[in-house]
Amino acid sequence: MMKHAQQAAVAENTRMPTPATESAADAHIAPAPRVSIQAFCETVETAAAVQAAGEDRRLGKAHVKIQMGGIAAATEAYRSSPTPNVILIETDSRTDDILVGLDTLAEVCDSGTRVVVLGRVNDVRLYRELTRRGVSEYLMTPVGTIDVVRAICNLFSAPDAKAVGRIIAVVGAKGGVGASTVAHNIAWAIGRDLALESVVADLDLAFGTAGLDYNQDPPQGIADAVFSPDRVDTAFVDRLLSKCTDRLSLLAAPATLDRVYDFGAEAFDTTLDSLRNSIPCIVLDVPHQWTAWSKRILISADHILVVAGPDLANLRNAKNLVDLLRSSRPNDRKPYYCLNQVGVPKRPEIAPADFAKALETDPLAVIPFEPQLFGPAANNGQMIAETSANHKTSEMFRQMAQTLTGRAEMKRPRSSLLSPLLSKLKKRAG
Ligand SMILES: Nc1ncnc2c1ncn2[C@@H]1O[C@H](COP(=O)(O)OP(=O)(O)O)[C@@H](O)[C@H]1O
Ligand SMILES: [Mg+2]
């Protein structure tokens, strides 16, 4: 807590602006579990920020209730009712009054409840006293939505936040545009080139091709988890994974039709939560359909990649998807998209620039239509990087993997003022 408070103090002293949304949205924040949160605010600004935080995808499972009246109202409320998992308290007071107020509150607070204080005071003595009283976090007001989201989620994430997996959802704007192919190749690059432990989950239970693409035929897979959610835990899911490479495993689809797959909205929740606990990077191959569960999975992913072909239906669908996801995820970076199968001979196509205009951002990649490259790879159960390691398209998948995992691009060192000198030295040495 001290650390955060000190950062807040520095920010306040130097009048630093609140971080830009894109960079704030990039920092990984693990979702909070099913907890109850009650806020007692003093100002409408803070109440609005907490309200917006409650609507963020990362607090989707949490229950947030907001009241006005600060410490006094909270103390009054908990005299007669049990305390929730988290109490957020805004206070306008000075240090001594805050401490007196919190001591009174403590008398009616259950011991397991975590308290987050939001205040205007920037005072080291206050931070020290709050820490001593077991207050979990102190945020300087005014607070942004994402500050509240982060503060609450951090209360519940393991100290080693790296262990918490990021979910990358890949979905096609139309069927057959190559969304699965792109997802599988990116996941392969994440495991191989970025050396991140990763899992591909094939969510197209009836027709999924991940098993074929990686040349795997595992006896078990995602259906075993989804049809017995009560048994799901890390060890159970671990047994369902089949290993593709050193660092890439597959949660395969059965791709059989003896059952139908009409799932409820939360069908994949326990499986994904459990993957998140143990795997740093999870790539979801989301089939092209619009159901309660597919919508939920896209909205709750850390990053989204929409794969589109260069035609009108793809453009319309990609725009609808991106618009809906943007408005459902106001505190996140907007979804990425890429164009695939571009340049089919004799086919009229919509240009990448027109996509960029409609979607208000450039595509992450424009992947050419190359049947001589993709056809053999698909038929042999291999990735493009395996059949043609040095091909331009392999490099595209590597770069997409970097962006989607938040790894900074490994740029070649630019020629600097020193480089002529260095090359002279080398020549002399040689
Ligand atoms: N850039 C490309 N050039 C040529 N063929 C491609 C390309 N991308 C994908 N394909 C092929 O298109 C077909 C459909 O791909 P798939 O990934 O199953 O699509 P989706 O998951 O969107 O339905 C596959 O046979 C795949 O090999
Ligand atoms: Mg597919």
Side-chain angles (χ1 to χ4, degrees):
M1 181 207 135
M2 281 303 280
K3 209 170 147 207
H4 196 101
Q6 278 160 358
Q7 280 165 359
V10 171
E12 168 69 8
N13 286 339
T14 54
R15 302 237 168 266
M16 285 203 307
T18 44
T21 26
E22 288 285 82
S23 62
D26 275 349
H28 184 50
I29 301 172
R34 210 171 288 280
V35 288
S36 57
I37 300 158
Q38 289 177 8
F40 291 85
C41 302
E42 297 268 24
T43 64
V44 289
E45 290 78 16
T46 300
V50 176
Q51 168 91 35
E55 287 158 13
D56 186 271
R57 64 180 171 90
R58 283 151 289 212
L59 295 183
K61 288 194 190 131
H63 183 263
V64 182
K65 188 177 162 200
I66 304 165
Q67 286 157 267
M68 300 305 283
I71 300 183
T75 310
E76 198 45 47
Y78 298 129
R79 268 192 222 292
S80 50
S81 56
T83 46
N85 303 98
V86 180
I87 305 177
L88 297 184
I89 299 271
E90 185 184 14
T91 172
D92 273 344
S93 311
R94 316 290 318 167
T95 298
D96 289 319
D97 295 336
I98 295 175
L99 296 175
V100 170
L102 286 176
D103 288 341
T104 323
L105 177 64
E107 288 166 20
V108 295
C109 222
D110 304 330
S111 60
T113 295
R114 293 172 220 211
V115 178
V116 174
V117 176
L118 300 94
R120 293 192 303 195
V121 183
N122 179 15
D123 169 10
V124 177
R125 188 171 71 89
L126 175 64
Y127 307 144
R128 200 178 300 129
E129 289 300 319
L130 290 178
T131 314
R132 229 163 52 82
R133 284 166 170 77
V135 166
S136 300
E137 178 75 281
Y138 179 77
L139 298 177
M140 290 273 298
T141 53
V143 286
T145 303
I146 201 76
D147 302 323
V148 178
V149 172
R150 186 186 305 111
I152 294 172
C153 291
N154 283 351
L155 296 177
F156 300 98
S157 69
D160 181 11
K162 284 211 181 70
V164 182
R166 292 181 185 221
I167 293 186
I168 299 169
V170 182
V171 68
K174 233 172 87 170
V177 292
S180 297
T181 308
V182 169
H184 304 161
N185 278 281
I186 288 175
W188 199 91
I190 291 172
R192 176 60 67 92
D193 301 314
L194 306 183
L196 264 181
E197 203 68 44
S198 49
V199 162
V200 171
D202 189 343
L203 305 188
D204 188 353
L205 273 78
F207 302 114
T209 53
L212 297 177
D213 286 359
Y214 293 117
N215 198 17
Q216 299 273 324
D217 188 17
Q220 289 178 305
I222 194 156
D224 298 83
V226 176
F227 284 110
S228 41
D230 303 340
R231 293 172 60 201
V232 167
D233 58 24
T234 304
F236 182 81
V237 174
D238 221 45
R239 284 196 293 276
L240 305 180
L241 298 176
S242 67
K243 218 164 172 55
C244 302
T245 66
D246 268 2
R247 294 201 179 78
L248 175 67
S249 300
L250 171 64
L251 193 51
T256 53
L257 304 180
D258 45 345
R259 283 195 271 209
V260 289
Y261 305 102
D262 296 325
F263 298 127
E266 297 175 12
F268 292 92
D269 282 15
T270 45
T271 308
L272 296 183
D273 284 348
S274 136
L275 281 173
R276 234 188 183 123
N277 281 335
S278 55
I279 316 275
C281 185
I282 300 123
V283 177
L284 302 182
D285 178 357
V286 184
H288 172 73
Q289 49 181 246
W290 196 240
T291 59
W293 64 263
S294 64
K295 179 180 176 191
R296 179 180 173 86
I297 279 176
L298 291 175
I299 289 176
S300 61
D302 293 298
H303 287 298
I304 301 160
L305 175 66
V306 176
V307 181
D311 67 24
L312 190 59
N314 271 288
L315 177 62
R316 181 202 61 188
N317 296 354
K319 171 136 183 72
N320 285 346
L321 271 170
V322 168
D323 285 351
L324 179 120
L325 292 169
R326 277 182 79 175
S327 66
S328 314
R329 303 157 50 93
N331 310 309
D332 283 273
R333 171 185 277 283
K334 60 177 154 176
Y336 294 103
Y337 74 98
C338 72
L339 297 177
N340 188 30
Q341 303 178 347
V342 172
V344 174
K346 298 192 179 156
R347 180 175 74 171
E349 293 184 351
I350 293 178
D354 295 324
F355 270 84
K357 205 164 151 203
L359 302 181
E360 294 167 40
T361 169
D362 286 332
L364 196 53
V366 177
I367 306 169
F369 176 70
E370 286 168 313
Q372 74 293 356
L373 186 67
F374 283 85
N379 288 341
N380 295 332
Q382 286 183 298
M383 295 295 112
I384 302 300
E386 291 176 290
T387 60
S388 320
N390 298 321
H391 198 280
K392 234 175 47 235
T393 304
S394 306
E395 179 53 30
M396 280 188 196
F397 288 130
R398 261 198 298 280
Q399 280 182 4
M400 292 167 88
Q402 275 179 0
T403 307
L404 288 166
T405 50
R407 295 285 174 100
E409 276 184 48
M410 284 179 260
K411 289 205 182 95
R412 284 204 202 117
R414 290 240 209 97
S415 62
S416 68
L417 283 174
L418 278 177
S419 52
L421 194 66
L422 289 175
S423 64
K424 259 183 215 158
L425 284 173
K426 265 192 206 137
K427 265 185 211 148
R428 216 174 278 170

